Amino acid sequence: MELNKEKITLIADCEVTDKSKTAGGAVVRTSKFCADISECDFEGSCFVQTNLCATFKCSDMSGDYFEEVDLSGAGFERSDVSGAEFNEVNLSGAAIIDSDMSGIEISGCKLDGMTIDGFNVRELIEFYKKNHKENFDMKKNVRKAVIAGNWKMNKTRPEAKALLEELKGKVSDPGCEVIACVPFTNLETAIEATKGTPIKVGAQNCHFEKSGAFTGEISADMLVEMGVEYVVLGHSERRQYFGETDETVNKRTRAALAAGLKPIVCVGELLWERECNITEEVIARQIKLDFYAVSAEELKKCIIAYEPVWAIGTGKTATADQAEEVCAFIRATLAKLYGADAAEAVTIQYGGSMNAGNAEELLSKVNVDGGLIGGASLKAADFNTIIEAATKG
């Protein structure tokens, strides 16, 4: 970290209280903070040979430099530590909760027992080392790339047949799994049109009961009897317009698995949830609830689609880095629930306005294994371009 020597403020043997400010070139040496410290501004400061075994709440420590600092047992709650650099710092037992840690550098630090939002950091690092070591070879050899078209409420039967015939002419030997998730009225048409082709057919929902007084609903067994292989569950539009909850998504997922279907389970945050910096909290909750009582063996049959709700049908798309960040977090959450090997094998799609123009960059990311495609799946040429991008990625 470079400091303007003319503006450096040297602070030694100091005491810090709530709402203290030492920003803008301060160098804090040989001090000791061992209390709860709230709403402090340390932005751009240096901490050298200092004991910071305190709990920092709602404080700004972005861009700070820490050298030979004791942070063992320290806590950061709802604080901004983005861009901070840690050099030979003891972070053993430190707990980071709901804080911005983007862009931090922690190489050469002691990390034993350090947690971020309850996740053990050393375990996560080891997991990602293994994950990235395999890189794209692992994607192709361990995780199946899957491109699924979600047609939503579009296409009559003649239109569906025409689109599938056009798609068949382009998709003869894809390097990934290709699925057309069509409206209920088009399922029979789609199954007939795709016979003898690599294109699989999926439904867009199913009920969690086998039969009964559920007017307008379709059971998983009914779909299997028709020859359907996949089913989309928990799509943001089902949650938003039709009252789907994590509880009903879980019930539908378990019913689909019991019937022999392969669920594509959708998760994603609202715009205001992302703006409130609780994306990971939302995603973790959805994963835990949607896959409640789903075994590791059953997980192998599932696909997870990350759909940032603010990017569904809006034309907005998460950046490739944003998509990678959340898909990696989903995999880390699965690793905690099911183990690293199970997590590495799960296909995680991105499902927020992926199209022919942005697919290659999105699918190049290590943890983005495919796409749940909306509007672009209604155009054979565009959909085929995305399939080709998945083959490369």
Side-chain angles (χ1 to χ4, degrees), residues 222-369:
M222 292 174 179
L223 296 177
V224 171
E225 188 270 334
M226 290 186 70
V228 174
E229 190 170 339
Y230 291 87
V231 60
V232 177
L233 298 173
H235 191 279
S236 61
E237 290 160 359
R238 296 298 308 175
R239 296 177 190 254
Q240 180 179 358
Y241 300 125
F242 303 102
E244 287 279 0
T245 65
D246 288 312
E247 181 181 7
T248 60
V249 172
N250 173 253
K251 288 181 177 181
R252 294 175 197 273
T253 299
R254 290 160 63 186
L257 287 166
L261 290 170
K262 298 174 184 176
I264 301 174
V265 182
C266 304
V267 298
E269 81 281 12
L270 301 170
L271 178 59
W272 71 271
E273 290 171 331
R274 172 167 281 272
E275 291 174 342
C276 290
N277 198 32
I278 60 170
T279 294
E280 292 186 351
E281 180 181 334
V282 171
I283 298 298
R285 183 178 186 275
Q286 289 177 332
I287 292 293
K288 291 174 183 177
L289 293 177
D290 294 352
F291 289 91
Y292 172 73
V294 172
S295 69
E297 193 62 31
E298 290 174 322
L299 183 68
K300 295 177 182 179
K301 303 172 185 176
C302 298
I303 295 169
I304 297 175
Y306 166 53
E307 298 185 306
V309 179
W310 45 273
I312 306 300
T314 63
K316 298 180 180 179
T317 309
T319 66
D321 288 340
Q322 286 174 325
E324 166 66 14
E325 181 181 12
V326 179
C327 288
F329 177 78
I330 291 172
R331 204 175 302 285
T333 302
L334 292 172
K336 188 171 183 179
L337 295 173
Y338 294 97
D341 289 343
E344 288 175 1
V346 175
T347 293
I348 300 176
Q349 300 174 313
Y350 173 73
S353 297
M354 183 185 288
N355 55 52
N358 60 30
E360 186 168 350
E361 182 183 10
L362 285 163
L363 292 166
S364 70
K365 295 299 181 179
V366 173
N367 287 286
V368 181
D369 307 318

Side-chain angles (χ1 to χ4, degrees), residues 9-297:
T9 301
L10 180 63
I11 302 172
D13 302 321
C14 63
E15 294 182 1
V16 171
T17 61
D18 289 353
K19 299 184 180 179
S20 292
K21 294 185 178 181
T22 59
V27 177
V28 182
R29 291 182 182 272
T30 62
S31 299
K32 185 175 183 179
F33 309 154
C34 292
D36 286 349
I37 299 171
S38 299
E39 300 180 33
C40 288
D41 183 2
F42 300 117
E43 180 183 1
S45 298
C46 285
F47 294 85
V48 182
Q49 297 175 342
T50 299
N51 188 327
L52 298 178
C53 301
T55 297
F56 299 90
K57 299 179 179 178
C58 304
S59 296
D60 188 350
M61 307 182 83
S62 57
D64 285 2
Y65 177 79
F66 300 83
E67 182 174 334
E68 297 182 25
V69 172
D70 186 1
L71 279 165
S72 58
F76 296 90
E77 296 183 14
R78 301 185 302 282
S79 294
D80 185 357
V81 199
S82 59
E85 183 177 347
F86 296 83
N87 183 23
E88 297 185 18
V89 172
N90 185 358
L91 288 161
S92 301
I96 317 297
I97 302 171
D98 290 338
S99 296
D100 185 355
M101 304 291 287
S102 57
I104 65 168
E105 173 60 52
I106 57 174
S107 58
C109 297
K110 294 182 180 179
L111 305 174
D112 297 331
M114 179 184 177
T115 61
I116 296 178
D117 293 332
F119 292 94
N120 185 285
V121 172
R122 186 170 290 283
E123 291 179 0
L124 288 177
I125 289 174
E126 292 304 314
F127 170 74
Y128 284 118
K129 279 182 179 178
K130 182 178 179 181
N131 191 22
H132 283 271
K133 183 179 179 182
E134 300 290 344
N135 209 330
F136 299 113
D137 288 338
M138 184 181 68
K139 283 182 68 173
K140 293 180 180 179
N141 297 331
V142 178
R143 300 199 294 268
K144 182 186 297 183
V146 179
I147 300 298
N150 178 17
W151 290 17
K152 305 188 180 184
M153 195 176 70
N154 290 291
K155 303 298 182 182
T156 62
R157 283 181 294 174
E159 290 171 339
K161 183 177 181 181
L163 176 55
L164 289 167
E165 290 294 337
E166 184 180 0
L167 188 60
K168 281 162 49 178
K170 298 178 180 295
V171 181
S172 57
D173 186 22
C176 63
E177 187 89 322
V178 178
I179 311 167
C181 298
V182 305
F184 286 129
T185 54
N186 291 342
L187 286 173
E188 191 170 12
T189 299
I191 290 168
E192 184 63 31
T194 57
K195 280 183 179 178
T197 78
I199 302 171
K200 309 295 183 181
V201 176
Q204 297 175 16
N205 194 25
C206 73
H207 198 265
F208 45 80
E209 295 290 351
K210 284 182 170 290
S211 61
F214 302 101
T215 302
E217 291 291 335
I218 305 294
S219 74
D221 287 336
M222 292 174 179
L223 296 177
V224 171
E225 188 270 334
M226 290 186 70
V228 174
E229 190 170 339
Y230 291 87
V231 60
V232 177
L233 298 173
H235 191 279
S236 61
E237 290 160 359
R238 296 298 308 175
R239 296 177 190 254
Q240 180 179 358
Y241 300 125
F242 303 102
E244 287 279 0
T245 65
D246 288 312
E247 181 181 7
T248 60
V249 172
N250 173 253
K251 288 181 177 181
R252 294 175 197 273
T253 299
R254 290 160 63 186
L257 287 166
L261 290 170
K262 298 174 184 176
I264 301 174
V265 182
C266 304
V267 298
E269 81 281 12
L270 301 170
L271 178 59
W272 71 271
E273 290 171 331
R274 172 167 281 272
E275 291 174 342
C276 290
N277 198 32
I278 60 170
T279 294
E280 292 186 351
E281 180 181 334
V282 171
I283 298 298
R285 183 178 186 275
Q286 289 177 332
I287 292 293
K288 291 174 183 177
L289 293 177
D290 294 352
F291 289 91
Y292 172 73
V294 172
S295 69
E297 193 62 31

